[in-house]
Amino acid sequence: MAATAARAAEPAGDVRQLSADEVLARMKQGNLDFLAGKPLAVATDGPRRLAIAQTQHPFAILVGCSDSRVPPEVLFGRGLGDLFIIRNAGNTVDTAAMGSIEYAVAVLGVPLIVVMGHERCGAVAAAIDV
């Protein structure tokens, strides 16, 4: 358990040192830990907050639904500064969302984009019923 907690608490660091495959592996492991009921072990202390106040180096972009039942940081075992998240009802990508994605890739150098849907999405159900 200590090794898993240490891995989860480890900040992403400089994304230029991580490949998309390495990032995806971290995301998958965090989700497996969540599914197994392991406690979320992420750095939220003063030093971490001070570090990310100076600069950000998220290692994944996540486009997800704004549904309160699917918080990406919790589902993937990630902490402050790890994910660059764009959330809206139905996890759609409009012009504003695309600008955020482009910024994260071009300026922040984020190597992976994840689009996350979920079951029983009210926005998707409403769009189908129209």
Side-chain angles (χ1 to χ4, degrees):
M1 173 88 164
T4 301
R7 182 178 56 245
E10 157 191 341
D14 189 343
V15 295
R16 292 169 288 211
Q17 297 176 4
L18 296 172
S19 71
D21 288 337
E22 291 168 324
V23 171
L24 185 58
R26 285 186 183 195
M27 298 284 286
K28 286 180 176 181
Q29 183 59 55
N31 187 246
L32 288 172
D33 291 347
F34 169 77
L35 292 172
K38 294 182 180 175
L40 185 61
V42 296
T44 59
D45 58 0
R48 179 65 180 149
R49 292 191 308 271
L50 287 172
I52 63 172
Q54 300 304 313
T55 184
Q56 64 172 321
H57 297 288
F59 68 77
I61 300 162
L62 192 133
V63 178
C65 186
S66 55
D67 190 306
S68 64
R69 300 169 292 180
V70 290
E73 294 92 344
V74 174
L75 297 176
F76 293 102
R78 303 314 320 165
L80 298 173
D82 289 345
L83 303 177
F84 192 90
I85 300 173
I86 297 103
R87 292 179 76 174
N88 56 57
N91 55 280
T92 59
V93 175
D94 59 8
T95 304
M98 183 57 74
S100 294
I101 294 167
E102 289 172 351
Y103 169 79
V105 170
V107 176
L108 301 177
V110 180
L112 180 70
I113 301 169
V114 175
V115 179
M116 181 184 80
H118 68 97
E119 295 179 349
R120 293 185 274 291
C121 180
V124 172
I128 292 171
D129 289 342
V130 171

